[in-house]
């Protein structure tokens, strides 16, 4: 263990030294699936929240003092607001009269229609009080953003996504307390080209109102998100689209980039935080937060400092800071509560966890019609990793580990009674892959994932000598089926069966086998950027391998 910590310290010191010397960082700034990020600065501290989709708790919260190194502190909601059902998307921070507001998208329990709710707290890490829906419009109202102009609050949103008419970005004045609409909605932009239009950031600068928004497809392997901009001299428009749109789009090193918000540094520089996929196996980490600086050009249009082609390598926002590596996750269950990195499959199972005497007890009651169990999972932060745990009890429920897509699509390896079983569930149909006598109690289990999808399973009596569980192999197409359109599959712990017969775990370790922290960048192309003559030299930190 001492050797591991020594290597980690040395690697971190090396990365710190190089970053301080060159003053660059590598995107993403948060590793793992955190789509539709919203960012806010309060004094010297920055806060991020983002989509949690079909995972609980709802809307993860991260903090930073340098925009590059982030730590998860909790969630906006530990429990669902009473009016909500699912699809927790695109939250948006706003500070107003000493309070912090979060405007968020969710489906209503009553009719399954997506609308925008609002909740208020004293700080981004405080306890939020929900005030229910604020925007209910047609079959879908999503992607809220707030603008204050001349002392009045305005909310904008995407409308008509599921109605039989072109998508629009609509807006409406809010009441002074920010909790209700005040007046009639009006149109900001209309998607007449049928390219898609959402994830807008609306701001005023130098006599213009600007809307930075996302176009094309947001999610999945074929998505091609990009960022465009429009402006107007008047708040209500009409808005003129920039002739050089999109102002930011993908490249060979970044896929499908968009849906973000702008924050400022204390000295007034603007940074756009959005999400993007990585190409290749990095795709299976999901939509990760990317940070890029924005400046206003002499043409009075915003431009990205490193050009229109998204780049992973970016100048550090603060020269005195350095990017630190992503460390492994481990939980020995000695804390009073679950760590904030854990998430569970709330739409399908009422999950119950209890931490006692350094052990985690996991069980769940499936929702009506659901045939699978409770999944307590982690966001993968690398395409190659190992998940390891020890099961310390025996009963007739399923106790094990999983690669989880949803209730109908998952792989799980676990013990049931006196058997150790590996199975695959595709579109609700169960496919046994291996079945052997239970070799040990306590039972150590391992899942090794490579390239984001391929998984191999192992058991051990002592956590030292590992034995592969040989079973029917899955094709790449079958393993990719675990990915849902708006989220990535997650590794974790799994219990299925009698909710009074829990699975009990001694620890959990998620070890990244390939850190993916270093990157040899493509030459940045400063096309259509006012900063094309920037002479900064990009650097490469070669891959650091950890023991």
């Amino acid at each position: 263990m001492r050797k591991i910590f020594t290597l980690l310290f040395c690697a971190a010191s090396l990365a710190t030294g190089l970053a301080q010397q060159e003053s660059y960082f590598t995107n993403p700034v948060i590793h793992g699936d955190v789509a539709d990020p919203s960012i806010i600065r309060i004094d010297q501290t920055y806060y991020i929240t983002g989509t949690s989709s079909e995972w609980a708790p709802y809307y993860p919260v991260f903090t930073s003092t340098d925009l590059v190194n982030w730590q998860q502190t909790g969630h906006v909601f530990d429990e669902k607001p009473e009016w909500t059902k699912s699809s927790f998307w695109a939250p948006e921070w706003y500070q107003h009269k000493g309070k912090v507001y979060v405007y968020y998208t969710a489906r209503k329990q009553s009719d399954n229609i997506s609308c925008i709710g609002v909740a208020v707290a004293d700080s981004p890490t405080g306890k939020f009080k929900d005030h229910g829906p604020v925007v209910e419009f047609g079959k879908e109202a999503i992607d809220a953003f707030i603008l204050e102009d001349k002392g009045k609050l305005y909310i904008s949103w995407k409308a008509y996504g599921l109605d039989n008419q072109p998508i629009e970005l609509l807006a409406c004045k809010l009441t002074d307390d920010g909790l209700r609409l005040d007046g009639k909605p009006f149109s900001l932009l209309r998607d007449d080209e049928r390219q898609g239009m959402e994830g807008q950031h609306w701001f005023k600068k130098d006599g213009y109102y600007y809307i930075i928004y996302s176009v094309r497809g947001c999610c999945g392997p074929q998505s091609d998100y990009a960022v465009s901009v429009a402006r107007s001299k008047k708040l209500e428009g009409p808005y003129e689209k920039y002739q050089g749109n999109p102002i930011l789009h993908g490249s060979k090193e970044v896929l499908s980039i968009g849906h973000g918000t702008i924050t400022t540094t204390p000295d007034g520089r603007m940074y756009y935080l959005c999400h993007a996929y990585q190409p290749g196996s990095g795709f299976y980490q999901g939509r990760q937060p990317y940070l890029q600086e924005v400046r206003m050009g002499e043409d009075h249009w915003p431009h990205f400092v490193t050009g229109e082609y998204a780049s992973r390598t970016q100048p550090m926002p603060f020269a005195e800071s350095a990017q630190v590596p992503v460390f492994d996750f481990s939980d020995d269950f000695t804390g009073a509560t679950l760590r904030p990195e854990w998430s569970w499959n709330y739409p399908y199972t009422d999950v119950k966890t209890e931490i006692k005497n350094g052990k985690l007890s996991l069980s769940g009651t499936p929702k009506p019609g659901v045939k699978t169990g409770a999944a307590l999972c982690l966001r993968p932060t690398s395409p190659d990793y190992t998940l390891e745990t020890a099961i310390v009890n025996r009963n007739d429920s399923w106790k094990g580990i999983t690669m989880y897509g949803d209730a109908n699509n998952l792989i799980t390896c676990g013990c049931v009674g006196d058997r150790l079983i590996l199975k695959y569930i595709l579109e609700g149909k169960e496919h046994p892959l291996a079945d052997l006598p239970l070799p040990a109690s306590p039972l150590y289990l391992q899942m090794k994932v490579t390239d984001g999808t391929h998984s191999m399973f192992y058991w051990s009596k002592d956590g030292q000598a590992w034995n592969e569980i040989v079973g029917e192999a899955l094709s790449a197409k079958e393993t990719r089926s675990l990915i849902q359109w708006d989220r990535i599959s997650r590794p974790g712990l799994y219990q299925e069966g009698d909710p009074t017969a829990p699975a009990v775990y001694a620890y959990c370790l998620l070890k990244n086998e390939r850190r993916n922290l270093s990157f040899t960048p493509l030459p940045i192309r400063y096309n259509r950027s006012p900063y094309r003559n920037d002479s900064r030299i990009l650097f490469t930190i070669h891959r650091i391998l950890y023991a």
Side-chain angles (χ1 to χ4, degrees), residues 100-113:
V100 173
Y101 289 60
V102 63
Y103 294 83
Y104 62 95
T105 298
R107 294 189 187 277
K108 291 186 293 181
Q109 286 276 9
S110 58
D111 56 16
N112 204 42
I113 289 177

Side-chain angles (χ1 to χ4, degrees), residues 137-167:
F137 196 93
K139 294 181 180 179
E140 182 182 58
I142 64 174
D143 297 358
F145 191 83
I146 306 299
L147 172 68
E148 184 172 352
D149 185 52
K150 300 176 183 178
K152 301 296 183 181
L153 295 179
Y154 295 84
I155 186 170
S156 61
W157 68 92
K158 172 191 174 182
Y160 303 128
L162 299 179
D163 293 279
N164 188 26
Q165 53 186 310
I167 290 170

Side-chain angles (χ1 to χ4, degrees), residues 415-482:
C415 52
V416 182
D418 61 356
R419 308 297 295 177
L420 176 59
I421 299 173
L422 176 64
K423 67 180 179 180
Y424 171 58
I425 297 171
L426 174 63
E427 297 180 354
K429 186 176 180 180
E430 188 173 303
H431 304 269
L433 301 177
D435 188 340
L436 60 151
L438 184 65
S441 184
L443 175 68
Y444 293 80
L445 290 177
Q446 245 187 27
M447 177 175 65
K448 290 188 176 182
V449 175
T450 55
D451 295 325
T453 58
H454 180 66
S455 55
M456 299 178 67
F457 294 84
Y458 302 81
W459 66 268
S460 173
K461 294 181 179 180
D462 55 9
Q464 301 295 321
W466 293 93
N467 305 275
E468 184 179 353
I469 300 172
V470 179
E472 181 183 343
L474 296 175
S475 68
K477 180 178 180 181
E478 288 173 321
T479 54
R480 286 196 297 268
S481 70
L482 303 181

Side-chain angles (χ1 to χ4, degrees), residues 52 71 98 118 139 176 190 211 246 270-271 314 374 399 402 440 494 505 517 527 546:
S52 54
Q71 179 180 4
V118 60
K139 294 181 180 179
D176 289 342
R190 185 181 172 94
I211 304 174
M270 298 188 298
Y271 283 86
Q314 297 288 320
K399 302 168 293 301
T402 185
Y494 183 75
Y505 301 90
L517 294 174
N527 296 359
Y546 290 75

